[in-house]
């Protein structure tokens, strides 16, 4: 009972943490596949649960029968050791049949796993969107590799946009430790190992926002290493991609102009990039179009003016251990920087 209570408490805690994320409506459900890859994995899961349930039921039934048929005697009676002299031939045959049946069921799971793997590999990659996702402690870099020219490539962070109905090829890299990318509604887990390149393919068949998560413990803030996949119509995807290819628009109002000056003259520009400005740092998320994203700090905070100001003022309060340092700015300079970043759409 204690173990059951612990499991229920942890489940409730996980549900509460997920509900407290900036995107509680983002789908994060392995039981609701939104693409063929996740569908194949879901079918394998259902078969696995069904076979394990049958095996569990049979074992439990045999145990109950054995308890019911066990001989009873008073505690003062001497032990009956006479069966030790006779081999239990019938029982041995039954045990053998049981072991054989369980072995067959396990082989069925192995064969089903192989066929699932082959089905996943058969996804047509014609006209696929090519991405490169790099994991860092504790955020994601996303690069779009399609385009005739190098200048057509796009870099963003912690958010992937894909067109509905087109396959997506994702090359996976790690910048520091072992991570694992998991998109429950779209594809299975794939490890990201430093020095190696892995690959995962998927296709989203329904528009929506799907949450991804690092599924390999990678440090203190592993739980706050989220990722959003936005699946949208091909027209909206192309419009988003074209917008992302543009450099940051120069600020027009006085406060935003001041914010850009502060941003370029402080530590912000040493780590972040804003294309079209002097800020070309490569150690932190690209902020060229940061205002178009839904969340901040890899799904830790909603992308609002108040949350952005609080994040800049004291990032360790929201994500202890993050490499983002607190930036000491006056109230006026902080408001100006937030206004400037809020204009980067």
């Amino acid at each position: 009972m204690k173990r059951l209570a612990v499991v229920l408490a942890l489940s409730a805690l996980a549900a509460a943490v997920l509900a407290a994320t900036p995107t509680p409506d983002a789908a994060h459900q392995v039981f609701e596949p939104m693409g063929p890859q996740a569908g194949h994995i879901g079918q394998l899961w259902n078969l696995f649960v069904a076979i394990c349930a049958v095996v569990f039921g049979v074992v439990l039934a045999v145990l109950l029968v054995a308890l019911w048929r066990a001989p009873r005697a008073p505690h003062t009676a001497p032990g009956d050791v006479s069966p030790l002299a006779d081999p239990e031939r019938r029982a041995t045959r039954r045990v053998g049949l049981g072991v054989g049946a369980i072995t067959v069921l396990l082989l069925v799971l192995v064969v089903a796993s192989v066929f699932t793997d082959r089905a996943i590999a058969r996804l047509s990659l014609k006209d696929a969107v090519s991405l490169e996702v790099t994991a860092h402690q504790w955020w994601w870099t996303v690069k779009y590799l399609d385009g005739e020219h190098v200048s057509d490539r796009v870099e963003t962070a912690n958010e992937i946009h894909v067109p509905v109905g087109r396959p997506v090829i994702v090359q996976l890299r790690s910048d520091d430790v072992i991570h694992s990318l998991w998109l429950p509604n779209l594809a299975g887990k794939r490890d990201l190992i430093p020095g190696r390149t892995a690959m995962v393919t998927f296709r989203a068949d329904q528009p929506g926002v799907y949450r991804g998560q690092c599924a390999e413990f990678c440090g203190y803030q592993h739980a706050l290493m989220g990722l959003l996949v936005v699946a949208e119509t091909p027209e909206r995807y192309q419009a988003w991609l074209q917008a992302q290819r543009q450099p940051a628009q120069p600020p027009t109002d006085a406060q935003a102009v001041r914010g850009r000056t502060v941003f370029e003259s402080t530590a912000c520009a040493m780590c972040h990039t804003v294309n079209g400005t002097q800020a070309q740092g490569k150690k932190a998320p690209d902020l060229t179009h940061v205002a178009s994203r839904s969340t901040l700090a890899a799904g830790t905070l909603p992308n609002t003016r108040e949350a952005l100001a609080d994040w800049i003022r004291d990032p360790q309060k929201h994500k202890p251990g993050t490499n983002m340092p607190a930036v000491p700015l006056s109230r006026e300079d902080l408001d100006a920087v937030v206004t400037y970043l809020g204009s980067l759409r």
Side-chain angles (χ1 to χ4, degrees), residues 144 164 195-196 309 320:
Y144 285 75
V164 170
R196 298 185 181 181

Side-chain angles (χ1 to χ4, degrees), residues 74-94:
H75 68 282
T76 56
D80 182 10
V81 295
S82 60
L84 295 179
D86 301 322
E88 299 180 12
R89 295 181 179 178
R90 293 183 58 190
T92 302
R93 284 198 297 270
R94 290 172 183 174

Side-chain angles (χ1 to χ4, degrees), residues 127-130 144 146-147 152 154 161-164 166 230-246:
D127 194 29
V129 176
S130 295
Y144 285 75
D146 296 328
D152 291 334
V154 167
H161 286 243
V162 298
V164 170
R166 281 180 63 184
V230 182
E232 49 200 356
T233 62
E235 295 76 17
R236 294 192 64 176
Y237 166 73
Q238 283 300 330
W240 174 86
L241 187 62
Q242 291 302 323
Q244 296 291 310
R245 285 172 174 165
Q246 305 304 315

Side-chain angles (χ1 to χ4, degrees), residues 229-293:
V229 178
V230 182
E232 49 200 356
T233 62
E235 295 76 17
R236 294 192 64 176
Y237 166 73
Q238 283 300 330
W240 174 86
L241 187 62
Q242 291 302 323
Q244 296 291 310
R245 285 172 174 165
Q246 305 304 315
Q249 295 299 313
T252 54
D253 65 85
Q255 190 179 37
V257 171
R258 175 176 175 174
R260 172 175 166 171
T261 302
V262 173
F263 187 89
E264 291 180 324
S265 60
T266 59
C268 305
M270 298 174 63
C271 296
H272 294 282
T273 288
V274 177
N275 287 329
T277 73
Q278 297 178 7
Q280 296 296 314
K282 299 296 183 184
K283 286 294 184 182
D286 188 306
L287 300 182
T288 304
H289 299 285
V290 63
S292 67
R293 300 173 197 157

Side-chain angles (χ1 to χ4, degrees), residues 213-237:
Q213 176 66 38
C214 178
E216 179 78 25
F217 181 73
C218 57
Y220 190 20
Q221 294 301 322
H222 158 72
L224 295 181
M225 189 171 170
L227 177 76
L228 290 183
V229 178
V230 182
E232 49 200 356
T233 62
E235 295 76 17
R236 294 192 64 176
Y237 166 73

